[in-house]
Amino acid sequence: MTGQHRIVVLGAGYAGLAAARRLARTSRDTTITVVDSRAEFVERVRLHQEAAGQRIKRWELRKLLERKGAEFVQARISGLDPVTKQVHLEELAGSPEGAGHRPSNIGEWSLAYDTLVYALGSAADRSGAPGVAEYARSVATPEDVRALPEGRVIVVGSGSTGIELAAELAESQRYSAVTLLGADEPGAWLSARAVESIRATLTRLGVEIRSSAKVVEVLPTGVRLADGTVVEAESVVWTAGFTVPDLARRAGLAVDEHGRIRTDATLRSISHPNIYAAGDAALMAGPGDRPLRMACATAIPTGGYVARAIVARAEGVEPEPMTFSYHLQCLSLGRRDAVIQVLNADDTPGARVIRGRTGALVKELIVRGAGMTVGLR
């Protein structure tokens, strides 16, 4: 690269940190700036633990990134102009004056880039049913999570997040009843052995499992099902679906119906080649031409790949298309149990399942390894 090439990374989650760390280590003649509205990084894969009252560690993003050689700007991203290559930012209450590129005493400003990495992640989809936004909680982002009050808890959604949360809440023994409601059997996308293990552990922990249950409304005191049944609880946690920011759509980038940036084989925007996308907010082809799923296991390697692609092109080399395969899917079932599903190359469940305390150890090692990859440890 000639001169100081400006690389801006939007989002300091797993994908953004993975990209920024590799860029800082391998790119030359560049400035790397990471923008996020949060001052701290929290391991998203541990948020269900915090919801159950456990304390989880936080890392100050400015210190974390500066020691890697990247700058950090804490601000709200209000707009993106891909024509002028500007990111429009707004000051957040309490953010330090003059932080990063922000001029002092300026409430709104812009940040110019030559190359942009879009890694804004996802949040809970609160449009799934009436009352979700008003009465339900979520564990999708650090801002969502607060320790739930004691009493009866309904967890809506029998996917990975719902399963992990229900198990954690039940194991904590702070709640008089935990009910898991979902349209499918918990873990239905996994092997029969994994499904059996999940159900057995949840049952042992005292979780009431209600499959084929469609929630049509969240009430101040519980939920209403499609058959008219009202299930009462002190707290409702909604884990049935995620959404991505609409920034890319508003900016005129090519996106899918959910707002994820459409990418080519090297994770560049198909409409704006100086913009790369990784993690939950990107639509990326995976095994069997199916989109890669939203997961930490997707975010970290795709963030790292984006950095390699940027550096390769800067050096005049066309990067090889991204190749990606999943190996495991890990679900914690409290602090002493887990299910580790070994996967086939096409992301379908294989025959092998690791369970129990061994599974819990494997899950913890994988979570710690993810933290090391993005520079937390």
Side-chain angles (χ1 to χ4, degrees):
M1 295 176 179
T2 57
Q4 287 289 303
H5 188 93
R6 299 163 298 183
I7 301 175
V8 173
V9 179
L10 300 184
Y14 287 109
L17 288 182
R21 185 187 188 206
R22 180 171 285 273
L23 284 167
R25 191 169 67 241
T26 59
S27 61
R28 293 175 294 178
D29 300 320
T30 63
T31 60
I32 300 159
T33 305
V34 180
V35 182
D36 201 291
S37 61
R38 302 182 181 105
E40 298 176 319
F41 176 84
V42 179
E43 293 174 287
R44 187 172 184 175
V45 293
R46 295 191 189 275
L47 290 178
H48 59 282
Q49 296 176 231
E50 186 169 44
Q54 300 170 35
R55 295 186 64 182
I56 61 176
K57 190 173 180 180
R58 285 166 159 73
W59 286 264
E60 187 179 338
L61 281 168
R62 188 173 309 284
K63 290 181 179 179
L64 181 67
L65 287 162
E66 286 180 353
R67 71 170 183 248
K68 304 298 180 184
E71 297 178 277
F72 175 66
V73 173
Q74 185 188 2
R76 191 181 80 84
I77 303 166
S78 58
L80 170 63
D81 188 339
V83 176
T84 62
K85 300 180 183 179
Q86 298 275 336
V87 180
H88 302 305
L89 305 174
E90 292 181 357
E91 181 179 0
L92 291 164
S95 59
E97 193 172 279
H101 287 290
R102 179 171 69 84
S104 60
N105 302 318
I106 299 295
E108 299 179 7
W109 75 106
S110 296
L111 187 61
Y113 65 85
D114 297 302
T115 299
L116 185 76
V117 178
Y118 191 101
L120 288 177
S122 62
D125 183 357
R126 297 183 177 276
S127 64
V132 173
E134 294 84 358
Y135 305 121
R137 296 195 183 189
S138 170
V139 292
T141 65
E143 293 77 18
D144 294 331
V145 180
R146 304 187 306 276
L148 297 169
E150 296 183 11
R152 297 164 296 176
V153 180
I154 293 173
V155 178
V156 181
S158 53
S160 300
T161 304
I163 292 168
E164 292 193 321
L165 177 63
E168 207 75 49
L169 294 175
E171 186 183 70
S172 73
Q173 299 182 344
R174 297 176 62 239
Y175 305 94
S176 59
V178 178
T179 301
L180 179 62
L181 301 179
D184 301 309
E185 179 75 7
W189 67 96
L190 302 174
S191 67
R193 188 179 178 204
V195 171
E196 178 186 1
S197 183
I198 291 168
R199 175 171 274 275
T201 302
L202 290 175
T203 300
R204 174 177 57 78
L205 291 171
V207 176
E208 179 189 8
I209 302 168
R210 298 180 67 170
S211 302
S212 302
K214 179 175 176 56
V215 175
V216 296
E217 184 181 6
V218 178
L219 308 169
T221 56
V223 300
R224 189 186 311 278
L225 305 183
D227 64 3
T229 302
V230 173
V231 184
E232 296 185 344
E234 277 70 45
S235 302
V236 176
V237 186
W238 190 267
T239 70
F242 296 87
T243 186
V244 302
D246 67 347
L247 179 69
R249 188 195 303 277
R250 289 190 285 111
L253 276 67
V255 298
D256 71 354
E257 65 274 19
H258 303 294
R260 296 179 296 178
I261 293 180
R262 295 185 179 274
T263 64
D264 65 14
T266 62
L267 302 193
R268 286 199 300 187
S269 162
I270 63 171
S271 59
H272 296 79
N274 64 330
I275 296 177
Y276 293 75
D280 290 0
L283 180 66
M284 305 168 288
D289 290 328
R290 292 176 302 188
L292 294 179
R293 49 186 163 84
M294 293 182 175
C296 170
T298 306
I300 292 175
T302 57
Y305 172 85
V306 159
R308 292 194 297 272
I310 291 171
V311 171
R313 286 196 168 103
E315 296 174 348
V317 178
E318 186 62 20
E320 292 290 327
M322 183 189 68
T323 58
F324 189 96
S325 61
Y326 296 104
H327 302 286
L328 303 171
Q329 187 161 11
C330 309
L331 282 77
S332 65
L333 299 171
R335 295 299 86 208
R336 296 181 291 275
D337 207 334
V339 164
I340 312 297
Q341 173 71 68
V342 177
L343 300 172
N344 299 317
D346 63 353
D347 199 26
T348 58
R352 190 180 179 197
V353 177
I354 303 170
R355 302 178 291 182
R357 289 186 179 272
T358 301
L361 175 61
V362 171
K363 171 70 186 289
E364 181 61 24
L365 290 174
I366 289 173
V367 171
R368 292 189 182 191
M372 291 178 66
T373 301
V374 297
L376 302 184
R377 299 174 177 87

